[in-house]
Amino acid sequence: MRLSLFDDYRLGLTEGDLIWDISSVIEERWRSTPQAMNHLIENWDRAQPTIAEIQASSEPRPVAEVRLLPPLPRPRQLFAAPLNYRPHVAEMIGSEHAPTGLRASHSARNLGFFLKAAGSISGPEDAVELPALPDRSFHHEVELGVVIGKQARGLSPEQVRDHVFGYVCLLDITLRTDGERQEERTMRKSYETFTPLGASIVTADEIADPHSLDLGLWVNGELRQEANTADLICNVDELVATASHVVTLYPGDLYATGTPEGVGPIVPGDRIKAVVQQVGELDVAVTRRTW
Ligand code: MN
């Protein structure tokens, strides 16, 4: 299933160009709130049969008639992997934007995760808004996002897949370091609108293997990133297991699994298209922040 949030945080089931309002599957007090998707995920086993009933007995609307919101605007935790594709490590090593101390041996395996502010999340119909920071460079990163389904800690890699709810196409927009300016990753990647998500979450049962998905990213129609999740250094199972040994994971937590090679600058006026095969597609504008 493909699950969305739309208009005033209504829960949507999306099929092709159609969307069904399935908000009534969750408790009334959580409907039309930013936490609606978290509650659907938490109560999924009970909700799933009801979704089929709603779909059979109600009329869908064209997706074009609604405003799509980020499908998961309030993860309790937003984890992200640094340096998780080998060619991306290599391109950063040779770059003017390499963080101080970066080595070729660095990867998510020895660096672990960083956190992005959940407030950086934006939706498929929102623009990426670049703050006015003269002489600084902002880069695009396309990534597979993993949505946690069940509360858990201390997971082995073998246990992880039973705790994954689904997947989402994600952009990890990044302010690059630059000589003396070496802000923490967490800050550089947490500007508002720096984590576009969507357009929907696809449930895990529809993805036979999360480690064989093509990813692609285009800026103004020009191909910039092209890779496959088979080339992840730390795969989904390792990433989530490691995080679960640090802190308890909760339904609706989100993990950005890292970007492949081909990262590059974006500027106001650009348009970014990102695709994760079978998972989803984003097509967002880049603008200058006005505040
Ligand atoms: Mn990233």
Side-chain angles (χ1 to χ4, degrees), residues 192-212:
E192 211 157 293
T193 71
F194 274 24
T195 312
L197 278 190
S200 52
I201 295 169
V202 61
T203 50
D205 58 297
E206 299 208 2
I207 305 297
D209 181 6
H211 305 128
S212 65

Side-chain angles (χ1 to χ4, degrees), residues 90-101:
E91 75 181 348
M92 291 309 293
I93 286 276
S95 152
E96 60 181 319
H97 300 304
T100 298

Side-chain angles (χ1 to χ4, degrees), residues 125-145:
E125 298 191 34
D126 300 325
V128 171
E129 298 178 9
L130 303 181
L133 295 173
D135 307 323
R136 299 300 296 270
S137 190
F138 299 94
H139 279 194
H140 54 76
E141 299 190 350
V142 59
E143 308 195 6
L144 170 67

Side-chain angles (χ1 to χ4, degrees), residues 81 141 143 172 189 258-259:
E141 299 190 350
E143 308 195 6
D172 176 20
K189 293 164 172 280
T259 199

